[in-house]
Amino acid sequence: QVQLAESGGGSAQAGGSLRLSCAAAGLRGRDSYMGWFRQPPGKEREGVALVHYGHTFTRYADSVNGRFTISQDNAKNMVYLQMNDLKPEDTGIYYCAASVGGRGWLLSPLEYNYWGQGTQVTVSS
């Protein structure tokens, strides 16, 4: 069974940085994609970044490209999201998710079948 747990959310000023972490269990030996998604207040969940787990392929939403970086530490079963130059529109609940057997490279919530509980990120101007 795949289990995901996020940590590292919090508050930041615009222009500041935060780093999110996702502890993943149950993915070893399975071809999967790990993604970060967010849900701004009153809006639908949207894709932020993904990585092909154990590989180098990554993809970013246009809104975060150049500011956010997704990385992984396979030995520790961890995925990270480094968020720099934060903007108030980055505010939302951030979720770590895994796509096992789906089209995870599409960065669509519909293709991800395992989810963490979410962590709040609030950016003030």
Side-chain angles (χ1 to χ4, degrees):
Q1 182 69 12
V2 176
Q3 293 183 315
L4 306 172
E6 306 95 338
S7 60
S11 298
Q13 296 282 335
S17 298
L18 286 172
R19 187 194 195 205
L20 305 182
S21 300
C22 176
L27 290 176
R28 193 175 300 276
R30 309 175 75 173
D31 187 43
S32 58
Y33 289 79
M34 294 294 297
W36 286 98
F37 294 81
R38 67 187 180 189
Q39 188 159 13
K43 297 184 178 180
E44 294 185 352
R45 196 169 298 188
E46 61 185 18
V48 175
L50 68 86
V51 61
H52 189 187
Y53 199 57
H55 302 271
T56 58
F57 176 78
T58 59
R59 173 171 282 170
Y60 296 89
D62 290 343
S63 58
V64 307
N65 198 20
R67 300 187 297 121
F68 291 11
T69 302
I70 189 170
S71 62
Q72 59 187 318
D73 185 335
N74 300 125
K76 297 182 179 179
N77 298 315
M78 297 291 294
V79 177
Y80 305 98
L81 185 69
Q82 178 66 41
M83 305 185 293
N84 297 330
D85 190 22
L86 284 163
K87 302 177 180 181
E89 51 264 41
D90 294 319
T91 294
I93 301 174
Y94 281 69
Y95 298 90
C96 174
S99 175
V100 180
R103 299 176 299 174
W105 62 88
L106 294 178
L107 196 54
S108 166
L110 299 176
E111 300 296 335
Y112 283 71
N113 41 4
Y114 299 97
W115 293 83
Q117 79 285 357
T119 186
Q120 178 70 45
V121 170
T122 302
V123 183
S124 57
S125 58

